[in-house]
Amino acid sequence: DIQMTQSPSSLSASVGDRVTITCRASQSISTYLNWYQQKPGKAPKLLIYAASNLQSGVPSRFSGSGSGTDFILTISSLQPEDFASYYCQQSYTTPLFTFGPGTKVEIK
Amino acid sequence: EVQLVESGGGLVQPGRSLRLSCAASGFNFDDYALHWVRQAPGKGLEWVSGISWNSVNTAYADSVKGRFTISRDNAKQFLYLQMDSLRAEDTAFYYCAKDRAHYYGSGSYSSTWGQGTLVTVSS
């Protein structure tokens, strides 16, 4: 099975900061990598699909990059509504929706 | 409005069964594969099961294989998860999620999720 890791597991940042979150797969998954945002008590929200494609309606300050085993989610200028947990997910192989352990973005 | 609404969660004793339902509206239900994803309180996301548009293809996480059964009723626009032989470690919020295509597979992702229903397995 493909294992997903994320770093850091949590971070503290200020409004306006540039934030990067890294996701790594245990084997190559091409660009079959999605990013979700989840706020407390809410369902996950799709941000990025296929590594770098911005989901409709998601602000352009979010971007994704990478291929193979290493991927990055970037928030170019952190906004108050961006404080949440972020999960990567591979859809290269079954189990299809293997998620990373998550990264919690907190207010500094 | 595209919407998924889960129901059927609750408190159940270990070893017992429970069936979750997910009501869909606002889209052509039988055009899409569907999934169940769970999240233990305070923990991360775990994919549980998926089903193709025509129910021909189903898949399960190893942690639930042989105990959980996914199904769907396209006429009624409902997704189900039959959970048998429940264990304490099955305690979680269960979300249904809509795939982007008829079949789940490489490139799958979910842009529509329900609000979740809580299953608590405890004596």
Side-chain angles (χ1 to χ4, degrees):
Chain A
D1 293 355
I2 296 176
Q3 307 301 317
M4 308 299 293
T5 57
Q6 287 182 232
S7 60
S9 57
S10 65
L11 65 91
S12 295
S14 300
V15 173
D17 284 353
R18 181 180 182 89
V19 170
T20 60
I21 298 169
T22 297
C23 176
R24 177 164 291 172
S26 59
Q27 66 186 72
S28 178
I29 58 170
S30 183
T31 57
Y32 295 119
L33 190 285
N34 309 315
W35 289 98
Y36 295 87
Q37 176 194 66
Q38 188 182 33
K39 297 181 179 179
K42 300 295 186 180
K45 173 187 175 182
L46 178 68
L47 297 176
I48 302 284
Y49 63 93
S52 61
N53 294 275
L54 192 68
Q55 170 66 6
S56 176
V58 174
S60 58
R61 62 180 179 274
F62 291 94
S63 64
S65 63
S67 66
T69 60
D70 295 318
F71 301 87
I72 295 174
L73 173 69
T74 300
I75 309 173
S76 60
S77 177
L78 197 66
Q79 298 302 300
E81 60 268 30
D82 300 337
F83 293 96
S85 293
Y86 293 85
Y87 294 90
C88 62
Q89 171 237 319
Q90 68 87 13
S91 62
Y92 181 76
T93 189
T94 303
L96 297 176
F97 274 29
T98 310
F99 291 92
T103 296
K104 187 173 184 179
V105 176
E106 299 175 304
I107 301 172
K108 182 182 284 185
Chain B
E1 179 191 6
V2 177
Q3 196 170 15
L4 297 169
V5 179
E6 302 94 338
S7 61
L11 175 63
V12 61
Q13 293 178 328
R16 303 298 291 266
S17 298
L18 203 62
R19 187 176 85 154
L20 304 183
S21 300
C22 173
S25 59
F27 64 98
N28 294 327
F29 185 77
D30 52 9
D31 277 349
Y32 297 94
L34 297 164
H35 302 269
W36 288 100
V37 176
R38 70 183 180 183
Q39 184 173 38
K43 303 297 184 181
L45 299 167
E46 179 189 16
W47 175 83
V48 172
S49 183
I51 186 168
S52 63
W53 71 279
N54 57 2
S55 303
V56 169
N57 301 102
T58 60
Y60 299 91
D62 287 345
S63 57
V64 306
K65 198 173 295 183
R67 300 187 299 121
F68 288 13
T69 303
I70 190 171
S71 62
R72 63 190 292 165
D73 185 330
N74 285 351
K76 295 181 179 179
Q77 301 198 124
F78 270 83
L79 173 71
Y80 303 103
L81 186 67
Q82 177 66 40
M83 305 185 294
D84 298 323
S85 303
L86 281 161
R87 306 167 179 168
E89 54 264 36
D90 296 319
T91 294
F93 288 92
Y94 284 75
Y95 297 98
C96 61
K98 169 182 157 289
D99 200 286
R100 70 176 185 92
H102 278 67
Y103 292 95
Y104 53 78
S106 296
S108 280
Y109 57 81
S110 286
S111 58
T112 302
W113 296 65
Q115 85 290 348
T117 187
L118 178 61
V119 173
T120 303
V121 184
S122 175
S123 54

